[in-house]
Amino acid sequence: MKNYELKGVSSDYSQKENWMHIPEITKEADTIYLYPTAFIDPSPGAPSMSTIDDESMHAGAQFMFGRQATAFMESTNVFAPYYRQGNLAVLAGMAAEELIENLHQEGRTDVFGALDYYFEHYNGGRPFILASHSQGSSMTIIVLEEYMREHPEYYERMIAAYVLGFSVTQDDLEENPHLKFAEGADDTGVIISWNTEGPENKGSESLLLRPNTIAINPINWKRDDTYASREENMGSRTMNMETGEYSITKPGIADARLDTERGTVICTTLPEAYVTTEALNGIENPFGPASLHGMDYDAYYFNLQANVKTRVEKFLAK
């Protein structure tokens, strides 16, 4: 089992400015959302870590909250802490396994501190979901492996963990027997994970993938390679980057089939414009030539929203 070092002192989560979102409590379950990489500085001598109050990180985090965390708002109260992040310009040079083994100790300390404060002051005994993407999901893996192992009294109330945009592996499960991966659409206390890419990524390295990666199909919620057409997709929600407006397409714009060997969701129907050709700010693309990393939420948005509702209702019915 891995044991991760906590470095220094956590940011102060009694301060409201260290939370991106604290909701009004109107639902019987919560979500704790960890945003993807929002700190990107490729300039010479740039820091490897953001500060907790970095304005560019805050702006990026808020943008991604609107794209991703909103999928959980229909069924849960969504909490979202800011946390110190690793600079993508530094992380992009790491292999996936190296990244998670060396992941920014300050961020780890912040996330654990935010969870401590949330459970003591905000949770009120409600069941909860963990939700994340990309760098946030690499953090959530650490939370599942380390924090939840140390806090079984919290973990027993976890409805599910949506760990999207970074790999969960069979080795993670074997090394942490308390963790379970989803087998279908309505099991609870489980991890849900996928990385979306085109078939041209086959054989390519990706910052997101570790050996023995596993996934679930976000349309039919199967673990095998059964194909799900775009007609089966309940709906996609995509943003026009020029206008900032969202478009909703029902049925969705993405199909899905698991590559069970690679552990990814293969999509063949998204236009080339959605392919991640490079990371932001001119950093060389670390995700492969046909990555659809930016579409993990958007392409299957309404399937995800409905699945959250299903798992919450199943857990509450217990």
Side-chain angles (χ1 to χ4, degrees):
M1 293 182 181
K2 300 180 179 68
N3 286 284
Y4 299 103
E5 176 189 358
L6 296 182
K7 184 176 180 179
V9 178
S10 167
S11 297
D12 184 359
Y13 288 97
S14 69
Q15 301 299 312
K16 295 294 194 295
E17 61 264 27
N18 289 335
W19 290 87
M20 177 167 49
H21 195 260
I22 301 173
E24 180 183 354
I25 304 304
T26 60
K27 308 292 195 306
E28 295 181 73
D30 294 347
T31 291
I32 305 101
Y33 168 76
L34 297 182
Y35 49 90
T37 300
F39 180 60
I40 307 167
D41 185 352
S43 63
S48 60
M49 288 291 305
S50 73
T51 58
I52 190 66
D53 59 353
D54 184 88
E55 291 182 2
S56 65
M57 183 189 74
H58 282 202
Q62 291 162 15
F63 173 76
M64 296 311 300
F65 184 96
R67 285 183 68 176
Q68 299 177 346
T70 50
F72 299 87
M73 286 185 166
E74 181 181 80
S75 300
T76 68
N77 315 297
V78 180
F79 292 82
Y82 289 116
Y83 65 98
R84 288 172 287 176
Q85 277 201 326
N87 184 352
L88 181 60
V90 176
L91 300 180
M94 295 184 182
E97 195 65 35
E98 181 187 11
L99 186 152
I100 199 166
E101 290 294 343
N102 297 285
L103 194 64
H104 32 269
Q105 290 92 339
E106 291 92 342
R108 187 182 296 146
T109 302
D110 274 0
V111 169
F112 283 27
L115 288 170
D116 284 344
Y117 194 85
Y118 161 77
F119 282 114
E120 183 174 353
H121 297 279
Y122 291 145
N123 174 251
R126 290 181 299 277
F128 63 92
I129 284 170
L130 299 177
S132 53
H133 189 243
S134 198
Q135 185 174 166
S137 286
S138 62
M139 275 293 187
T140 299
I141 291 169
I142 294 171
V143 168
L144 289 165
E145 291 182 345
E146 179 72 10
Y147 188 89
M148 291 303 169
R149 188 175 73 229
E150 296 299 318
H151 292 283
E153 73 278 17
Y154 302 153
Y155 183 62
E156 68 183 10
R157 301 204 305 273
M158 190 187 83
I159 299 168
Y162 289 85
V163 187
L164 308 189
F166 196 80
S167 52
V168 174
T169 73
Q170 189 62 44
D171 297 333
D172 291 334
L173 304 183
E174 291 175 1
E175 293 172 7
N176 298 276
H178 64 288
L179 300 182
K180 299 182 296 180
F181 200 88
E183 296 294 339
D186 66 350
D187 41 354
T188 61
V190 296
I191 301 169
I192 298 99
S193 182
W194 66 80
N195 289 276
T196 315
E197 59 182 10
E200 298 81 8
N201 248 26
K202 185 77 171 180
S204 299
E205 292 187 3
S206 171
L207 175 67
L208 309 170
L209 300 183
R210 298 184 286 154
N212 301 319
T213 294
I214 54 179
I216 194 166
N217 189 309
I219 297 178
N220 60 25
W221 303 106
K222 293 185 177 181
R223 294 283 307 279
D224 60 24
D225 63 357
T226 302
Y227 177 69
S229 69
R230 60 170 293 184
E231 288 74 25
E232 299 171 71
N233 185 329
M234 295 176 66
S236 304
R237 179 178 180 262
T238 57
M239 172 176 272
N240 184 316
M241 296 300 180
E242 294 182 359
T243 66
E245 296 179 351
Y246 289 101
S247 295
I248 294 173
T249 309
K250 295 186 177 185
I253 59 177
D255 63 356
R257 185 197 301 274
L258 286 192
D259 180 335
T260 55
E261 180 181 351
R262 187 169 166 87
T264 58
V265 168
I266 305 302
C267 176
T268 64
T269 60
L270 284 174
E272 188 174 346
Y274 291 117
V275 173
T276 304
T277 55
E278 61 178 6
L280 296 179
N281 293 0
I283 300 167
E284 184 179 352
N285 171 26
F287 306 134
S291 173
L292 296 166
H293 183 55
M295 297 299 290
D296 288 324
Y297 274 79
D298 292 354
Y300 310 106
Y301 185 92
F302 288 94
N303 293 78
L304 171 59
Q305 185 182 66
N307 188 251
V308 170
K309 185 172 188 283
T310 295
R311 294 186 199 271
V312 168
E313 289 178 348
K314 176 75 172 291
F315 191 93
L316 292 175
K318 293 180 180 180

